[in-house]
Amino acid sequence: MSPVAGRCECGAVAYEVTGPLRDVVACHCTQCRRTSGHYSAYTSAAAADLTFLRADGLRWYRSSDSAERGFCERCGSNLFWRPLAEPLRISIAAGSITGPTRLSVSRHIFVADRADYYAIPSDETQCLGW
Ligand SMILES: [Zn+2]
Ligand SMILES: [Zn+2]
């Protein structure tokens, strides 16, 4: 399996994933809406399978008591989400992956927080929580 690569818009953060990626989870919570500008779409990987090729732009924002979000301080790209209590996995913004992801959206979470200007496709799984 060839590694999946991704990066932020300016290139100050770049990464490679050598292991399997989870299907994409779309999160409609208010934190994801604010930080992404819409709703978030994250895949995830084992933290051990993620290698940074460049990380000089990477900064972490503590978005709650239990998690932090990685972003590029130069271009503002949202890139990562990780729970502080479970550092073995890391969520990766699906839009930062370069080229075909071969993934699909598996479910939508925190759908009660959805904004009113878009609809969630009715054939995709919707969850009130995680
Ligand atoms: Zn950047
Ligand atoms: Zn969220």
Side-chain angles (χ1 to χ4, degrees):
M1 195 171 94
S2 59
V4 167
R7 66 171 178 86
C8 68
E9 170 62 17
C10 78
V13 183
Y15 64 87
E16 212 171 65
V17 181
T18 49
L21 291 170
R22 186 201 64 199
D23 262 338
V24 175
V25 173
C27 183
H28 301 261
C29 82
T30 52
Q31 287 175 357
C32 283
R33 286 172 48 200
R34 289 191 180 113
T35 56
S36 72
H38 187 33
Y39 61 84
S40 70
Y42 284 98
T43 179
S44 96
D49 291 338
L50 176 76
T51 304
F52 287 107
L53 308 175
R54 254 190 94 177
D56 46 295
L58 183 60
R59 294 294 177 271
W60 292 92
Y61 168 65
R62 180 79 171 265
S63 54
S64 74
D65 287 346
S66 57
E68 58 186 0
R69 293 166 187 267
F71 64 98
C72 175
E73 69 167 356
R74 298 187 196 163
C75 68
S77 298
N78 296 293
L79 297 164
F80 306 107
W81 180 95
R82 66 182 177 192
L84 298 168
E86 191 204 354
L88 296 177
R89 292 196 68 81
I90 185 165
S91 291
I92 302 167
S96 68
I97 294 171
T98 304
T101 67
R102 296 175 190 87
L103 302 172
S104 56
V105 173
S106 64
R107 68 187 193 277
H108 295 259
I109 62 172
F110 296 106
V111 296
D113 292 339
R114 175 183 65 84
D116 61 1
Y117 64 88
Y118 61 85
I120 297 171
S122 57
D123 60 339
E124 295 181 1
T125 305
Q126 301 191 24
C127 311
L128 283 178
W130 166 257

